[in-house]
Amino acid sequence: MAVQFESNVKHVPYSQERVYNKLSDLSNLEGVRDRLEQVKEKLDGKLEDMTFDRDSITIKVQGIALTLRIIEREPMKCIKFEGDKTPVPLNLWIQILPVSEENAKMKVTIRAEVNMFMKAMVSKPLQEGVEKLADMLAVLPY
């Protein structure tokens, strides 16, 4: 059974192109590493580590390593990820739309394949996770 969670729409004070160019090459997130300690505090210590290269990001949360790999790039509009060795099969995508020349908006969506029993367990953490991820992406310096 597929369950889907969407963040609220986040406004970003940068152009759609700048946001897409930064997020479509994950090695551009090196600057986030500098702020990792601040992010850890905001996430109540749940985030333990983060590593990335151009096409993948691995996040260690409460002892579990989750790797997301970019599987599709739709220039300026969308970046799609797939879970690699994740506890449940999942996909994530970041949609980016222009508001004006120097402003964009984005939304993060997660779709996971879970059974009915798992749905009850993962719904709240996944909804919270998608919202916190969108919040974090919205405040990055692009």
Side-chain angles (χ1 to χ4, degrees):
M1 157 185 273
V3 291
Q4 185 167 305
F5 304 93
E6 297 179 353
S7 71
N8 291 318
V9 173
K10 307 296 178 184
H11 292 274
V12 184
Y14 297 95
S15 70
Q16 177 187 25
E17 183 177 2
R18 283 180 70 173
V19 174
Y20 175 84
N21 287 339
K22 181 143 188 171
L23 296 178
S24 64
D25 179 350
L26 297 175
S27 60
N28 290 330
L29 298 180
E30 191 61 42
V32 173
R33 184 175 302 290
D34 301 336
R35 298 175 55 198
L36 187 57
E37 291 305 315
Q38 295 170 331
V39 173
K40 282 181 184 180
E41 289 173 22
K42 288 182 183 176
L43 297 177
D44 303 323
K46 293 177 183 172
L47 176 64
E48 296 170 18
D49 194 19
M50 184 184 325
T51 57
F52 39 82
D53 58 30
R54 183 179 190 282
D55 295 317
S56 68
I57 182 166
T58 300
I59 301 168
K60 190 171 182 184
V61 181
Q62 295 180 323
I64 299 170
L66 304 171
T67 299
L68 295 171
R69 191 167 312 285
I70 294 177
I71 57 169
E72 186 179 332
R73 292 174 175 91
E74 187 179 340
M76 306 312 143
K77 295 180 183 176
C78 188
I79 305 155
K80 295 182 182 179
F81 298 80
E82 183 174 74
D84 184 11
K85 299 176 189 148
T86 52
V88 296
L90 65 87
N91 291 82
L92 178 143
W93 55 100
I94 303 168
Q95 296 167 284
I96 309 159
L97 294 171
V99 173
S100 66
E101 262 187 48
E102 286 303 315
N103 289 285
K105 58 185 178 179
M106 75 168 59
K107 181 169 76 170
V108 178
T109 304
I110 292 178
R111 180 178 291 148
E113 289 291 330
V114 295
N115 60 36
M116 287 299 283
F117 175 73
M118 290 287 293
K119 181 180 178 188
M121 290 177 29
V122 302
S123 289
K124 186 177 178 189
L126 283 176
Q127 184 61 53
E128 289 174 357
V130 75
E131 201 62 48
K132 287 179 180 180
L133 177 59
D135 287 342
M136 185 180 80
L137 293 173
V139 299
L140 287 177
Y142 293 95

